[in-house]
């Protein structure tokens, strides 16, 4: 039997150390575990260990009808609940060949962009926190509260809105809501300079993120990375522009796809911040259009028992964290035969196996935080 004593002496210099970060650790955003092999302070290999929050949502879809699966689908990424619901109803509507009222289309687009801002604000505040900057998270929650108020007023929920329905939305907008939503958007926009100046203008933040965790474009394609992380590495792809759904086809003049070439932690943060500015512009454009629409229905009347015809379809959406895909297979019953969910965070987090080797342990938190993931979105 050979025994190695790891200490300050010479034996430590040639001995690899296995370090488990998580599954309960402040720097892992929740129950994610990273198995790192270290050579001194440098990471030799990294393996994300997932599954601690797996709840079998895809199997549960098969035992719930098309109205009930919306509740299951909006919970895996708890920061993007409205967008998660949206993909499911779009897939079912495509199977049914259903046209959604124009008022519902524009309202869905508006709420999806407000939800995108809510998602991004959380990461814009929490990422500096992980690097030692405490102040931005307090501003982020103030901005989030303004938008949460209008989202809660229209849907009744603070995080899990349950406002989408097959054929449209649950109900029409409350009286005066458009004005309150416009005011909330204006207030949030007026205070976004906090992140432009307080965070991006901070030399310590830039020193910790510039040139750190560079993700190559080839790696983005190899691992199926998407969203702001992919665009920060020069992959110019956004479903809202390249394969428009909802009302995005009519918002081409307002929609701006933010792209960077550097692929480092700083570029990922800049993409997220600039995309937040653009989502506020898109929300204003949607508010203007909804105000011009004549009164009309917000949803379609559905039969008491909703059955999708036999067949299969695939719907995908540009969620705040990246591409979400929904592969729906129906046997003509009131429940899906199969509903496969492709979540953005699952693919994005796999890139850690390429990003972390060769970096210092001190940079691990900076790289991990810049991938902007939700653990429930990984595990489903």
């Amino acid at each position: 039997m050979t025994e190695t004593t790891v200490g300050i002496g010479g034996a430590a210099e040639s001995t690899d150390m296995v370090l488990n970060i998580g599954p309960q650790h402040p720097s892992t955003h929740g129950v994610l575990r990273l198995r790192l092999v270290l050579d001194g302070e440098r990471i030799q290999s990294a393996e994300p260990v997932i599954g601690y929050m797996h709840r079998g949502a895809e199997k549960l879809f098969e035992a719930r009808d098309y109205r009930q699966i919306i509740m299951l689908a909006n919970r895996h990424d708890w920061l993007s609940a409205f967008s998660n619901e949206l993909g499911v109803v779009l897939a079912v509507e495509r199977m049914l060949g259903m046209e959604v009222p124009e008022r519902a289309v524009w309202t869905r687009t508006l709420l999806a962009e407000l939800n995108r801002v809510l998602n991004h604000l959380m990461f814009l505040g929490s990422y500096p926190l992980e690097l030692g900057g405490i102040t931005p998270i307090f501003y982020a929650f103030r901005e989030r509260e303004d938008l949460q108020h209008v989202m809660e007023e229209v849907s009744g929920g603070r995080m899990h809105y349950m406002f989408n329905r097959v054929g449209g939305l649950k109900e029409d907008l409350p009286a005066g809501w458009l004005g309150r939503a416009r005011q909330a958007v204006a207030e949030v926009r007026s205070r976004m300079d906090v992140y432009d100046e307080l965070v991006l203008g901070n030399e310590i933040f830039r020193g910790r993120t510039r040139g750190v965790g560079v993700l190559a474009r080839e790696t983005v394609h190899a691992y199926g990375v998407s969203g702001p992380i992919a665009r920060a590495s020069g992959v110019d792809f956004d479903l809202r522009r390249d394969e428009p759904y909802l009302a995005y086809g009519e918002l081409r003049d307002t929609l701006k796809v933010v792209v960077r070439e550097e692929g480092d932690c700083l570029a990922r943060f800049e993409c997220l911040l600039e995309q937040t500015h653009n989502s506020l512009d898109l929300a204003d454009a949607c508010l203007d259009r909804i105000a011009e629409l004549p009164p009309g229905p917000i949803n379609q009347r559905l039969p008491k028992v909703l059955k999708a015809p036999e067949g299969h379809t695939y719907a995908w959406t540009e969620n705040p964290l990246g591409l979400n895909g929904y592969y729906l297979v129906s046997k003509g019953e009131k429940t899906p035969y199969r509903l496969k969910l492709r979540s953005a965070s699952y693919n994005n987090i796999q890139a850690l196996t390429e990003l972390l080797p060769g970096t210092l342990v001190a940079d691990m938190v900076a790289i991990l935080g810049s991938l902007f993931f939700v653990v429930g979105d990984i595990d489903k």
Side-chain angles (χ1 to χ4, degrees), residues 56-181:
E58 291 179 354
K59 197 65 183 172
L60 292 172
F61 288 151
E62 299 171 16
R64 306 292 190 278
D65 67 34
Y66 288 106
R67 291 181 174 91
Q68 295 169 326
I69 60 175
I70 300 171
M71 179 274 296
L72 292 169
N74 84 352
R75 280 161 166 74
H76 56 91
D77 175 2
W78 45 77
L79 295 176
S80 312
F82 186 87
S83 302
N84 298 338
E85 301 169 14
L86 194 56
V88 172
V89 296
L90 289 175
V92 179
E93 287 162 4
R94 184 173 295 179
M95 287 285 284
L96 293 166
M98 180 180 289
E99 288 288 334
V100 177
E102 186 181 15
R103 190 172 181 79
V105 171
W106 280 97
T107 307
R108 279 178 173 178
T109 310
L110 166 63
L111 296 176
E113 289 306 313
L114 292 179
N115 193 199
R116 194 182 307 276
V117 176
L118 283 169
N119 175 291
H120 291 354
L121 281 171
M122 178 60 78
F123 291 109
L124 291 173
S126 65
Y127 185 48
L129 180 66
E130 292 165 6
L131 300 180
I134 298 173
T135 309
I137 191 69
F138 297 110
Y139 289 108
F141 271 92
R142 180 188 65 182
E143 269 61 272
R144 276 176 55 86
E145 277 302 306
D146 287 340
L147 295 178
Q148 287 281 29
H149 283 319
V150 295
M151 294 291 282
E152 184 177 7
E153 181 187 358
V154 75
S155 67
R158 277 185 65 80
M159 287 186 70
H160 303 297
Y161 306 109
M162 281 302 297
F163 198 54
N164 276 291
R165 294 292 185 272
V166 176
L169 295 167
K170 177 186 171 187
E171 56 198 8
D172 209 341
L173 303 173
W177 183 86
L178 289 176
R180 291 187 288 276

